Amino acid sequence: MPVSCGSKCGRNAFMRRPKTGDVLCKECFFLAFETEIHNTIQQEQLFRPGEKVAIAASGGKDSTVLAHVMNVLNKRYNYGLDLVLLSIDEGITGYRDDSLKTVAQNRDDYGMPLRVLSYQELYGWTMDRIVAEIGRTNNCTFCGVFRRQALDRGARLMEVDCVATGHNADDIAETVIMNILRGDTARLRRCCDIKTGSKAADTIPRVKPLKYSYEKEIVMYAHFKKLVYFSTECVFAPNAYRGHARAFLKDLEKVRPSAIMDIIHAGEQLQIKGTVKKPVRGVCGRCGFVSSQQPCKACVLLEGLNRGLPKLGIGKKSKGERMVALQEQQMREKAHMVKNDF
């Protein structure tokens, strides 16, 4: 026997929401999903009328749903935002080149200007080349660091007021787990912030409108709205540390569906003791972008690649300094030997 929609709209229920357990028809699910994101935007005051907002677009389900919902809400509630798309091409053959075609489709569907920046253009390297140098053990470190800075670079070039990313509730809960396991107190509290950076600190803010949206519901929304998105996993992702946190979170969710939100709320309420040394965010002296160390991680990793020491930025800073010192010593010895030959 058909079950009636829990919102009393008179239609038959179509699904049970993973987040709340409510039984809803398709139309009521769409409205509930969009309204929750609107409420998050309003309560957290993520945007102001007249702002130019760059949506970090990868072509995946999260950024595609974010672009669609932001376009809908901007018109429905008259946010007065100038929405644009910003994509980063990491140079991963068979993955990013295909997903960028989806981003181009989003550009055409929503009439949003698109800017694509590549690692090759910004750093002189592609991820394919980096993986050939470093192997598949620490490749996600390079990609994550370069991508975060590439978004900052792109935002500055496009002269936007903030960047909206597609991080969802599952992503944030996974990050909390990862930071706990790594003992990373600096990132543990910051990873739950729905808005990071500020113009006052000379950095372009980033916001997460999908912070409280479950990944399952994002997939359902994209599927039933028939949105075009790229669903292939990155060819280098299977070895990523995040994959283990994701598997652990999925197991928790089976036992306790509210585990995702519970972890996020726990991270939000976390307080670090005043005696714990916390890094101070500033600006890198080399590239001029936000960093909590000198030089920034992106500059250290890039220096290692250009020096032929791809593991320079992996691990402790002291280890990297020893690697540089050893290389310089070897170069001096080699130069001395050449000089003696003459």
Side-chain angles (χ1 to χ4, degrees):
M1 182 177 178
V3 178
S4 299
C5 176
S7 64
K8 313 292 185 184
C9 67
R11 292 183 288 262
N12 289 332
F14 179 77
M15 57 167 287
R16 182 182 295 275
R17 289 190 66 184
K19 182 177 180 179
T20 63
D22 296 336
V23 287
L24 299 174
C25 66
K26 191 185 298 185
E27 289 73 15
C28 287
F29 166 65
F30 292 155
L31 182 60
F33 182 82
E34 293 163 358
T35 302
E36 285 182 2
I37 296 173
H38 167 68
N39 291 339
T40 298
I41 290 172
Q42 293 298 100
Q43 291 168 8
E44 301 293 341
Q45 300 180 341
L46 299 186
F47 310 112
R48 289 180 295 183
E51 286 189 328
K52 185 177 183 180
V53 179
I55 297 173
S58 66
K61 63 184 184 312
D62 299 316
S63 64
T64 298
V65 167
L66 178 61
H68 175 83
V69 172
M70 285 298 300
N71 188 52
V72 169
L73 298 181
N74 193 35
K75 295 175 181 177
R76 180 184 298 167
Y77 297 103
N78 193 27
Y79 288 167
L81 302 176
D82 179 13
L83 300 175
V84 298
L85 299 174
L86 172 60
S87 290
I88 307 301
D89 179 6
E90 300 93 341
I92 304 175
T93 305
Y95 172 68
R96 185 56 71 208
D97 45 356
D98 290 337
S99 70
L100 287 175
K101 296 176 184 176
T102 305
V103 176
Q105 182 67 48
N106 293 337
R107 173 199 62 197
D108 298 337
D109 290 343
Y110 309 131
M112 298 179 188
L114 168 64
R115 179 71 182 266
V116 179
L117 290 176
S118 69
Y119 282 8
Q120 179 64 46
E121 175 185 352
L122 296 174
Y123 307 114
W125 289 79
T126 65
M127 276 309 300
D128 286 343
R129 284 183 59 205
I130 292 173
V131 171
E133 291 286 328
I134 193 69
R136 296 203 175 199
T137 303
N138 295 297
N139 53 284
C140 287
T141 298
F142 284 83
C143 195
V145 171
F146 285 165
R147 181 177 176 78
R148 283 190 290 273
Q149 191 188 89
L151 285 174
D152 287 338
R153 289 174 178 268
R156 186 174 292 184
L157 288 172
M158 297 184 79
E159 299 180 334
V160 300
D161 295 295
C162 75
V163 177
T165 64
H167 292 95
N168 59 48
D170 297 57
D171 295 329
I172 296 171
E174 290 164 11
T175 305
V176 171
I177 293 172
M178 291 167 63
N179 287 331
I180 289 175
L181 295 177
R182 288 189 297 218
D184 193 338
T185 55
R187 292 189 179 92
L188 186 53
R189 179 62 185 86
R190 195 169 67 233
C191 71
C192 291
D193 292 340
I194 196 169
K195 188 171 187 176
T196 57
S198 67
K199 291 182 181 178
D202 197 30
T203 59
I204 296 175
R206 293 190 195 180
V207 297
K208 307 168 188 171
L210 303 183
K211 176 182 175 180
Y212 299 113
S213 301
Y214 274 31
E215 184 177 52
K216 288 180 180 177
E217 296 196 353
I218 290 173
V219 172
M220 294 170 74
Y221 184 90
H223 176 73
F224 293 120
K225 278 284 187 179
K226 294 181 170 55
L227 302 182
V228 178
Y229 67 92
F230 187 75
S231 57
T232 302
E233 186 180 44
C234 174
V235 294
F236 302 135
N239 297 318
Y241 181 50
R242 179 175 289 274
H244 301 292
R246 180 176 295 121
F248 176 64
L249 183 63
K250 295 304 179 188
D251 289 339
L252 281 178
E253 190 182 6
K254 292 175 186 176
V255 180
R256 183 183 176 88
S258 65
I260 294 173
M261 294 304 298
D262 292 342
I263 292 172
I264 293 175
H265 291 321
E268 290 173 336
Q269 298 301 318
L270 189 69
Q271 292 184 346
I272 307 299
K273 293 174 66 175
T275 55
V276 176
K277 184 178 179 181
K278 296 187 283 278
V280 179
R281 303 193 80 185
V283 175
C284 175
R286 290 188 187 177
C287 65
F289 287 91
V290 64
S291 174
S292 57
Q293 66 179 54
Q294 292 293 341
C296 72
K297 190 72 170 179
C299 286
V300 173
L301 292 173
L302 185 60
E303 179 185 1
L305 290 171
N306 293 333
R307 279 178 171 267
L309 299 172
K311 294 187 178 182
L312 178 64
I314 306 298
K316 294 183 178 180
K317 185 178 179 181
S318 58
K319 180 181 176 182
E321 291 173 346
R322 288 196 298 270
M323 291 173 65
V324 172
L326 179 60
Q327 185 188 56
E328 291 178 346
Q329 181 182 350
Q330 291 173 343
M331 291 176 65
R332 286 195 297 269
E333 291 175 352
K334 186 176 180 180
H336 183 68
M337 290 174 64
V338 172
K339 182 179 179 180
N340 289 340
D341 287 342
F342 288 95

